[in-house]
Amino acid sequence: MPSEYSPQELMAIFLARDLQDGDVLRVGVAMPVVEAAVRLAHIMHGPNMELIFLGARMNVAHLDSLPMPAFGWDRRVVRWAESYSDSGHRFDRIKDWGRHVFFIGGVQVDPHGNTNLIGIGPDYHHLRFRGPGSVGTPTLSTHVGRYYIVLNSHSPRIFVERCDYISAYGWGTGGADARQKLGLPGGGPKYCVTPLCVMDFTEDTKHLRLHSTHPGVLAAEVQAQTGFSLATTATPALTSPPSEEELRVLRTRVDLSGMLRRSA
Amino acid sequence: MPERHERILDETEAASWVHDGMTIAVGSPAPMMLLRHIIRRGVKNLTVVDSGLSLDLLIAAGCVRKVVSYYAGGGFGVPVAPSFRRAVERGEIEVWECEEGILTTGLQAAAQALPFLPWRGGVGTSLPEINPDLKLMQDPIRGETLIAVPPIKPDLALLHAATADAYGNVQHCGGPGWLDLFLHRAADRTLVQVERIIPNEEVRANPWATTIAGADAIVRAPYGAHPFYSRGCYVQDNAFLRTYVEAATAAQTGKPESLHQYLTYYCREPATHGDYLERVGIKHLLGLYEY
């Protein structure tokens, strides 16, 4: 009988399983699920991963625990870094970003995985909601080998037929060659992970497809919370629940304060 | 026999370099002592190259007309910096929409006196539509689509660092601040506030540690980045920043009293940095010591 767990814990565990040893993981601000996922993967199967929090690059597999959060530029974070680069410098070896992995959020996501951090409203000069801005997501999503769209909630307000603005280009208007046609070298979004489900992209049209629902969530429920038709497979899978070991490591060595349980 | 000029200013002289309508670039950690002086003097219509909560404070205080920003997150559970969000939604300030790579590219173009530099990140996005200064171009070598980023040229870069000598040789502690070197290279003039002014001999003992050679002016500012961190000295004061974020968030929903109070008590009333530090309190400041 598996333990109780929160959707956020399951999201972190799903992501951690998909990260490969040797990946270079670039983590931005305000994404606790991702911060937990990269630490969990690093401890469980990724001693050669590199974790880059903003510009602080670390390998901390030797530590007993990797508590969260660890953001900011002061010594509390930088003490773990082996090297440390400032904005711009960290965009200096883009040619090697094929093995880099990135995580991206958004206030809107469209059927082809384009994302919006700019704002909501038809008139750019009178936005109904002003978002935080693109951060580095246009450049990172252009170049990294793969990235994950990770969202704290799943609703028709977020999953829209058309983003009011696109700050990171996923698969444009669709098609497996969409990125190639624009000359974008990176591999594009791989999965979109939410508290309800995991989605991937159809191979030919690059349309969001239901990959697996989280235990207890019905496919119809996911569709009802999505503002466009999701592609489906014949038999949508169930996201594998956390193992006892995954939960134990997550709770005792990563998320010591229970951040991912509280946000449930 | 003429002597080498010292470049040390006092805080009031330094702050008087900032005039209405200028383009200023704010380093990270933000040089808060100088920013508080700007607020106290009621400088208006600034174009500000900055991100995060220092930008938000300048907006809250009514100093800003236009922002060049790739990120204005709030932190502390607030996804968007509250005063930024409110001012943009009401059309009170203009945004020069960009992202990190485009910003550094524009700063680099300014530094190298070029009409533009190309950048790929942003191709396919809305950025060139909502910022008409960004031009899609065909590269003449391989014919690829890229973005031509024009120079971003601040009149003045305002930075915070650990130490500098009297001649403008700046030595950050533990590496230069986020974007600081880009801002310095691009700006017409650079003004750096430092925790400590050190003798020129100390700089010459370790010239490799000099991060900025020839800042135009240096101002002494112990605890001058508070409530942000200063590497080698103190960590970020999250409790204090949370107070600001809460006050600014309340102002967003029609309750401006605590934000007014914050601006008055911490930015407008203290005539000097010393007066500000007295209001924060020595015990509180010592509690932020790095180790």
Side-chain angles (χ1 to χ4, degrees):
Chain A
M1 179 69 195
S3 310
E4 296 279 317
Y5 52 87
S6 73
Q8 283 71 17
E9 287 181 317
L10 181 61
M11 290 166 75
I13 287 166
F14 174 85
L15 286 167
R17 289 173 188 154
D18 205 58
L19 303 175
Q20 310 294 314
D21 193 22
D23 281 347
V24 180
L25 306 168
R26 309 185 71 112
V27 183
V29 294
M31 299 187 98
V33 164
V34 174
E35 290 188 42
V38 298
R39 289 169 166 86
L40 183 62
H42 193 35
I43 289 178
M44 294 202 68
H45 62 263
N48 299 292
M49 289 175 178
E50 292 184 14
L51 279 51
I52 305 182
F53 295 100
L54 296 182
R57 175 188 143 274
M58 55 192 80
N59 182 314
V60 283
H62 60 285
L63 297 179
D64 287 338
S65 67
L66 312 180
M68 309 169 32
F71 256 114
W73 278 116
D74 62 39
R75 284 281 162 93
R76 288 173 296 197
V77 178
V78 175
R79 65 193 291 213
W80 301 122
E82 290 176 353
S83 70
Y84 155 58
S85 64
D86 284 333
S87 185
H89 300 251
R90 70 201 186 99
F91 286 180
D92 272 358
R93 283 187 71 191
I94 286 174
K95 67 178 179 58
D96 298 334
W97 281 10
R99 65 193 188 98
H100 286 218
V101 178
F102 182 56
F103 307 87
I104 194 169
V107 297
Q108 290 179 324
V109 180
D110 77 12
H112 299 294
N114 303 301
T115 49
N116 171 13
L117 283 169
I118 293 166
I120 296 175
D123 179 359
Y124 173 70
H125 297 286
H126 297 91
L127 295 171
R128 281 203 311 279
F129 168 75
R130 171 67 220 199
S134 306
V135 209
T137 63
T139 292
L140 282 150
S141 61
T142 294
H143 292 282
V144 292
R146 68 181 193 279
Y147 67 93
Y148 300 84
I149 302 167
V150 183
L151 301 166
N152 296 325
S153 59
H154 190 134
S155 78
R157 280 175 50 210
I158 295 175
F159 287 97
V160 293
E161 194 63 60
R162 202 182 132 86
C163 289
D164 291 338
Y165 307 93
I166 293 173
S167 48
Y169 184 96
W171 294 102
T173 53
D177 59 350
R179 295 178 63 90
Q180 198 190 346
K181 279 197 290 196
L182 272 183
L184 309 181
K190 179 178 182 187
Y191 286 121
C192 176
V193 184
T194 79
L196 298 184
C197 68
V198 175
M199 289 161 281
D200 61 3
F201 293 87
T202 56
E203 287 73 16
D204 49 352
T205 60
K206 295 292 180 187
H207 192 286
L208 268 177
R209 168 174 65 191
L210 188 56
H211 174 79
S212 65
T213 52
H214 299 339
V217 179
L218 299 172
E221 199 181 326
V222 173
Q223 181 57 68
Q225 291 302 316
T226 307
F228 51 83
S229 262
L230 283 172
T232 50
T233 52
T235 49
L238 203 66
T239 314
S240 295
S243 70
E244 289 295 338
E245 176 68 357
E246 285 167 329
L247 268 188
R248 189 186 62 76
V249 174
L250 178 63
R251 290 175 179 176
T252 61
R253 296 181 64 187
V254 176
D255 185 16
L256 304 184
S257 69
M259 192 183 287
L260 301 187
R261 272 164 283 170
R262 276 199 303 279
S263 60
Chain B
M1 176 86 179
E3 283 188 16
R4 189 179 186 186
H5 295 302
E6 295 200 345
R7 301 179 183 192
I8 297 174
L9 300 180
D10 73 34
E11 59 186 88
T12 317
E13 287 171 318
S16 74
W17 280 28
V18 182
H19 300 293
D20 289 1
M22 260 189 174
T23 297
I24 62 165
V26 178
S28 190
M32 292 306 295
M33 179 187 83
L34 291 169
L35 298 194
R36 281 185 287 263
H37 272 290
I38 290 172
I39 292 170
R40 192 170 71 82
R41 291 178 47 231
V43 178
K44 298 262 182 269
N45 296 319
L46 295 173
T47 295
V48 180
V49 184
D50 192 9
S51 60
L53 292 176
S54 54
L55 172 65
D56 204 65
L57 184 70
L58 287 173
I59 294 170
C63 303
V64 179
R65 186 186 67 78
K66 180 176 176 182
V67 306
V68 176
S69 183
Y70 62 95
Y71 178 62
F76 309 102
V78 180
V80 185
S83 310
F84 166 83
R85 179 180 164 187
R86 179 165 151 268
V88 177
E89 288 173 0
R90 292 183 178 184
E92 291 164 2
I93 59 172
E94 192 188 327
V95 179
W96 197 86
E97 199 76 45
C98 64
E99 62 101 40
E100 239 173 294
I102 290 176
L103 177 64
T104 50
T105 300
L107 292 167
Q108 194 68 15
Q112 296 176 331
L114 291 167
F116 73 91
L117 277 173
W119 192 251
R120 196 189 306 273
V123 170
T125 72
S126 306
L127 290 175
E129 290 155 39
I130 56 186
N131 182 346
D133 290 343
L134 303 174
K135 310 286 187 198
L136 286 172
M137 60 173 276
Q138 292 296 117
D139 101 67
I141 310 291
R142 293 190 300 199
E144 296 179 19
T145 302
L146 298 170
I147 294 177
V149 183
I152 300 168
K153 191 172 176 43
D155 296 308
L156 189 58
L158 302 172
L159 310 178
H160 178 91
T163 56
D165 71 6
Y167 305 114
N169 295 302
V170 178
Q171 299 192 333
H172 284 80
C173 175
W178 181 259
L179 279 184
D180 279 13
L181 301 188
F182 280 89
L183 303 177
H184 162 62
R185 286 198 294 265
D188 284 342
R189 290 198 293 177
T190 299
L191 177 50
V192 186
Q193 59 166 58
V194 294
E195 296 290 337
R196 203 159 59 86
I197 293 174
I198 56 174
N200 178 251
E201 286 78 1
E202 213 173 299
V203 168
R204 283 189 280 116
N206 190 9
W208 287 107
T210 301
T211 44
I212 292 178
D216 297 273
I218 300 297
V219 201
R220 186 172 158 268
Y223 282 105
H226 181 268
F228 300 108
Y229 63 89
S230 179
R231 279 203 292 275
C233 298
Y234 44 91
V235 298
Q236 183 162 289
D237 189 347
N238 285 330
F240 200 95
L241 281 173
R242 182 184 293 272
T243 307
Y244 168 76
V245 171
E246 282 167 5
T249 304
Q252 215 178 11
T253 54
K255 297 191 199 74
E257 296 78 14
S258 12
L259 181 60
H260 280 300
Q261 205 180 351
Y262 182 100
L263 288 167
T264 305
Y265 190 74
Y266 288 118
C267 301
R268 296 198 170 112
E269 282 181 358
T272 66
H273 184 50
D275 295 327
Y276 168 79
L277 294 181
E278 246 177 30
R279 290 199 165 183
V280 177
I282 187 72
K283 275 191 191 168
H284 187 84
L285 290 167
L286 291 176
L288 300 169
Y289 197 66
E290 257 189 0
Y291 294 104

